[in-house]
Amino acid sequence: MDIAQPPQFPTTGTASTTGTAGPTGSATARLGALAGTVLGEPFKAATWKRVVYLIIALPLGLLCVPLALFGGPAGRLQRSLARRLLGLEIGEPERTGPLALAHAVLSTPLNLIATALTGYGLFLVPLNLGYPLRPDAHPESAWGGPTLAGAWAVHAVGALAFLLAVLWIGRGLTALQGRLVTRFLDGRRLGLVKVTGLALLTAVVGCALAVPVIHQL
């Protein structure tokens, strides 16, 4: 006589675990990679080359205005700087003519915003790291207070945030500055109007954002 077997029901615990483990692990890996990319920016040589470019692009651009007016090597200087500090591959035309002057003039507003933002942001980093040494340090009324250790810790985290923000914003600014160089000075003359409009719009937005900061100084 056959004995009836109890019905078998599928278990759901294993299926749900197996179905979600892959996507969860993949998302964690992506977040880890993103955090590594963001936090690792200060440890790259290319990052600090971009910082140098952000700082000296303005004075060099202003110097290139009279150089271009009197037939000097304005275009060659700008291309050489972009190659060395931004790693751009730029052609070497025989002459750039009035485009060298146009580049020197039209890049000035963007260079001004880039230099000011970089200088101010980097100034805030040691200012916050050295919070206990500041004559205006009052931990009892500061963020992280009332203890000095708590206020210092909050300001140190702020310094790291300022550093990362400056470096990543600077990365975008140098990309735009590099596009100005390649469009105006490599001889191809492609997309001049578009990249010029984008550069001027960025400068206008930067000026608008700088107004409340200046009022607080």
Side-chain angles (χ1 to χ4, degrees), residues 75-76 79 83 90-96 184-189:
R76 186 159 62 249
R79 287 190 296 269
R83 289 191 192 103
I90 309 172
E92 192 68 32
E94 293 184 3
R95 55 177 300 178
T96 52
F184 276 88
L185 303 176
D186 72 345
R188 288 178 292 179
R189 306 180 183 182

Coordinates of all heavy atoms in Angstrom, one line a residue, residues 75-76 79 83 90-96 184-189:
G75 N 49.5 82.8 -28.7 CA 48.9 81.5 -28.9 C 49.8 80.4 -28.5 O 49.4 79.4 -27.9
R76 N 51.1 80.6 -28.8 CA 52.1 79.5 -28.4 C 52.2 79.3 -26.9 O 52.3 78.2 -26.4 CB 53.4 79.8 -29.0 CG 54.5 78.7 -28.9 CD 55.6 78.8 -29.9 NE 56.4 80.1 -29.7 CZ 56.3 81.1 -30.6 NH1 55.6 80.9 -31.7 NH2 57.1 82.1 -30.5
R79 N 49.0 77.5 -25.7 CA 49.0 76.1 -26.0 C 50.0 75.3 -25.2 O 49.8 74.2 -24.7 CB 49.3 75.9 -27.5 CG 48.2 76.3 -28.4 CD 48.5 75.9 -29.9 NE 49.7 76.6 -30.4 CZ 49.6 77.8 -31.1 NH1 48.5 78.4 -31.3 NH2 50.7 78.3 -31.5
R83 N 49.1 72.2 -22.7 CA 49.8 70.9 -22.9 C 50.4 70.4 -21.6 O 50.3 69.2 -21.2 CB 50.8 70.9 -24.0 CG 50.3 71.1 -25.4 CD 51.4 70.9 -26.4 NE 51.0 71.3 -27.7 CZ 51.3 72.4 -28.3 NH1 52.1 73.2 -27.7 NH2 50.9 72.7 -29.6
I90 N 47.1 69.5 -28.6 CA 46.7 70.6 -29.4 C 47.7 70.7 -30.6 O 48.9 70.6 -30.4 CB 46.8 71.9 -28.5 CG1 46.0 71.7 -27.2 CG2 46.2 73.1 -29.3 CD1 46.1 72.9 -26.3
G91 N 47.1 71.0 -31.7 CA 47.9 71.2 -32.9 C 48.7 72.5 -32.8 O 48.5 73.4 -31.9
E92 N 49.7 72.7 -33.7 CA 50.5 73.8 -33.7 C 50.4 74.5 -35.0 O 51.3 74.3 -35.9 CB 52.0 73.4 -33.4 CG 52.9 74.6 -33.1 CD 52.6 75.3 -31.7 OE1 52.1 74.6 -30.8 OE2 52.8 76.5 -31.7
P93 N 49.4 75.4 -35.2 CA 49.3 76.1 -36.5 C 50.4 77.1 -36.7 O 51.0 77.5 -35.7 CB 47.9 76.7 -36.4 CG 47.7 76.9 -34.9 CD 48.3 75.7 -34.3
E94 N 50.6 77.4 -37.9 CA 51.6 78.4 -38.2 C 51.3 79.7 -37.6 O 52.2 80.4 -37.0 CB 51.8 78.6 -39.7 CG 52.3 77.3 -40.4 CD 52.6 77.6 -41.9 OE1 52.3 78.7 -42.4 OE2 52.9 76.6 -42.6
R95 N 50.1 80.2 -37.6 CA 49.7 81.4 -37.0 C 48.2 81.3 -36.6 O 47.4 80.7 -37.3 CB 50.0 82.6 -37.9 CG 49.3 82.5 -39.2 CD 49.6 83.8 -40.0 NE 49.0 85.0 -39.4 CZ 49.1 86.2 -39.9 NH1 49.8 86.4 -41.0 NH2 48.6 87.2 -39.2
T96 N 47.9 82.0 -35.5 CA 46.5 82.1 -35.1 C 45.8 83.4 -35.4 O 44.6 83.6 -35.3 CB 46.4 81.8 -33.6 OG1 47.2 82.6 -32.9 CG2 46.7 80.3 -33.3
F184 N 40.0 77.9 -30.1 CA 40.5 79.1 -30.7 C 41.9 79.0 -31.2 O 42.3 79.6 -32.2 CB 40.6 80.2 -29.6 CG 39.3 80.9 -29.4 CD1 38.3 80.5 -28.5 CD2 39.0 82.1 -30.1 CE1 37.1 81.1 -28.3 CE2 37.8 82.8 -29.9 CZ 36.9 82.3 -29.1
L185 N 42.8 78.1 -30.7 CA 44.2 78.2 -30.9 C 44.8 77.0 -31.6 O 46.0 76.9 -31.8 CB 45.0 78.5 -29.6 CG 44.5 79.7 -28.9 CD1 45.3 79.8 -27.6 CD2 44.8 81.0 -29.7
D186 N 44.0 75.9 -31.9 CA 44.6 74.8 -32.6 C 44.5 74.8 -34.1 O 44.9 73.8 -34.8 CB 44.0 73.5 -32.0 CG 42.6 73.2 -32.5 OD1 42.0 74.2 -33.0 OD2 42.1 72.1 -32.3
G187 N 43.8 75.8 -34.6 CA 43.7 75.9 -36.1 C 42.5 75.4 -36.7 O 42.2 75.6 -37.9
R188 N 41.7 74.6 -35.9 CA 40.5 74.0 -36.5 C 39.3 75.0 -36.5 O 38.4 74.9 -37.3 CB 40.2 72.7 -35.8 CG 41.1 71.6 -36.1 CD 40.8 70.3 -35.3 NE 41.1 70.5 -33.9 CZ 40.8 69.6 -33.0 NH1 40.3 68.4 -33.4 NH2 41.1 69.8 -31.7
R189 N 39.2 75.8 -35.4 CA 38.2 76.8 -35.3 C 36.8 76.2 -35.3 O 35.8 76.7 -36.0 CB 38.3 77.8 -36.4 CG 39.7 78.5 -36.5 CD 39.8 79.5 -37.6 NE 41.1 80.0 -37.7 CZ 41.5 81.0 -38.6 NH1 40.6 81.5 -39.4 NH2 42.7 81.4 -38.7

